[in-house]
Amino acid sequence: MRAIVMREFGGPDVLRLEDVPEPGPRGGHMLVDVTLAGVNYADVHARGDSYLAPVELPYVPGNEVVGTDGGRRVVGLCRGGGYAERTLLHRRVTWDVPDAVSDEQAVALALQGNSAWHLLFTSLRITEGETVVVPAAAGGVGSLAVQLAARAGARVIGLAGSAEKRKLAQELGAHAVVDSTAEDLTERILDAAGGPVEAALEMTGGATFARTLAAVAPRGRLAVYGFAGGDLASVPTRDLMEKSLTVSGFWLPQLYADRTALPTSMKALFDAVEDGCLTPLTGAVHPLGDAARAHRELAARTGTGKLALDVTR
């Protein structure tokens, strides 16, 4: 079968299309014929050997797919192996796709949709009337988080790096938008929110982390789910104590073994899409062999919505 294989760590060019053996049987798993494979920052970190879990070479990237199992159309999560014509999905993190949900929508919900849902409602526990900062508000996780938070009655401050993306964030439900590249980011958030915010998401790291945290109100919460800028951040405990802040980390695979968390969020996401209350943004879809191009686009942050690979091409 065809698959994208990494035999070394490095830039996008280490992603090469090869013929490889099909994965063998594994307890609790199903072999799925892949239609679409989602492209995520997790794949970029795996490629650069900076992922949260160790990556052993050779390695087939990809942590979410839409495909078929016999006559069933399914979406599921995996720990690598998604950039391939066939992959193994654990039955616990595989779901039937409703007829009203397209393949492109479903692949946006598996990793990014579940992440957005649990960041807001499990980590931050946002409530109606609170103000929450959402970074990359026109991106995969961010665009879904904006809609979910606004639907829950929160006031959303969306961060984005271009005027086009900020406009899109407002169309999705953000109450105000801020240029995420501004050096006075803290002051701009405070101005847009009318004061410190109760909650914030953060996925860039470095100076952006510090500037976002500085906008959080006493007894507020911040949830960290990435470091797309490449710089990990640290928090002085004095700062946490002075404002009684809660800073939590989030990594979706920690929920894979939970028998209720992901089924609950997946049902809520499917229901919201079917009801027209949630619109997953579908971005560029590239042929499997163009995985390197997809990674360059993701790193450049030029696109909006969900990047995916069409494994049938």
Side-chain angles (χ1 to χ4, degrees):
M1 68 172 189
R2 297 182 309 137
I4 296 295
V5 181
M6 285 169 38
R7 298 192 176 277
E8 58 186 321
F9 298 111
D13 290 339
V14 304
L15 302 174
R16 300 184 180 96
L17 186 64
E18 298 184 9
D19 287 320
V20 300
E22 289 190 9
R26 188 176 177 186
H29 290 69
M30 62 176 72
L31 184 63
V32 171
D33 292 315
V34 178
T35 304
L36 290 177
V39 178
N40 298 285
Y41 270 104
D43 309 336
V44 174
H45 286 303
R47 193 195 74 224
D49 198 21
S50 60
Y51 190 46
L52 294 174
V55 172
E56 294 185 6
L57 300 175
Y59 179 74
V60 176
N63 294 305
E64 61 180 344
V65 302
V66 170
T68 56
D69 172 40
R72 300 168 56 201
R73 192 165 59 105
V74 299
V75 61
L77 295 160
C78 49
R79 296 202 179 197
Y83 293 9
E85 290 184 310
R86 281 170 287 282
T87 195
L88 292 171
L89 297 180
H90 197 288
R91 297 179 188 280
R92 189 178 295 164
V93 289
T94 303
W95 302 274
D96 290 290
V97 180
D99 291 340
V101 178
S102 70
D103 287 354
E104 291 80 8
Q105 291 174 323
V107 79
L109 297 178
L111 193 151
Q112 295 176 328
N114 278 310
S115 292
W117 198 94
H118 284 284
L119 280 162
L120 292 171
F121 304 120
T122 301
S123 297
L124 292 182
R125 299 181 184 273
I126 64 164
T127 58
E128 185 176 359
E130 289 190 316
T131 301
V132 58
V133 174
V134 176
V141 174
S143 63
L144 294 167
V146 167
Q147 296 177 74
L148 291 169
R151 183 183 177 213
R155 295 180 67 247
V156 179
I157 309 300
L159 309 184
S162 71
E164 178 186 6
K165 291 181 179 181
R166 290 191 290 275
K167 182 176 182 292
L168 177 57
Q170 285 187 301
E171 293 171 352
L172 293 173
H175 290 69
V177 290
V178 171
D179 183 354
S180 59
T181 66
E183 291 190 5
D184 60 343
L185 179 62
T186 302
E187 290 72 21
R188 294 196 185 200
I189 292 173
L190 294 174
D191 182 62
V197 302
E198 289 89 357
L201 301 177
E202 213 297 295
M203 51 75 71
T204 303
T208 301
F209 173 93
R211 291 165 181 164
T212 303
L213 184 64
V216 177
R219 300 177 62 192
R221 298 98 64 202
L222 182 143
V224 184
Y225 63 103
F227 53 103
D231 294 325
L232 289 167
S234 58
V235 189
T237 53
R238 181 184 182 90
D239 294 349
L240 300 182
M241 291 187 291
E242 282 181 343
K243 293 174 65 176
S244 295
L245 297 174
T246 298
V247 176
S248 59
F250 179 82
W251 188 38
L252 188 67
Q254 293 293 353
L255 297 179
Y256 288 7
D258 190 307
R259 294 185 180 275
T260 60
L262 292 181
T264 297
S265 55
M266 204 70 220
K267 182 180 185 306
L269 292 165
F270 279 148
D271 288 349
V273 173
E274 289 183 288
D275 293 343
C277 300
L278 180 68
T279 303
L281 295 185
T282 55
V285 177
H286 298 288
L288 178 62
D290 286 350
R293 177 183 173 187
H295 274 227
R296 291 189 187 95
E297 288 186 8
L298 184 63
R301 305 186 195 182
T302 54
T304 58
K306 181 64 185 178
L307 270 174
L309 299 175
D310 183 345
V311 180
T312 67
R313 291 197 284 155

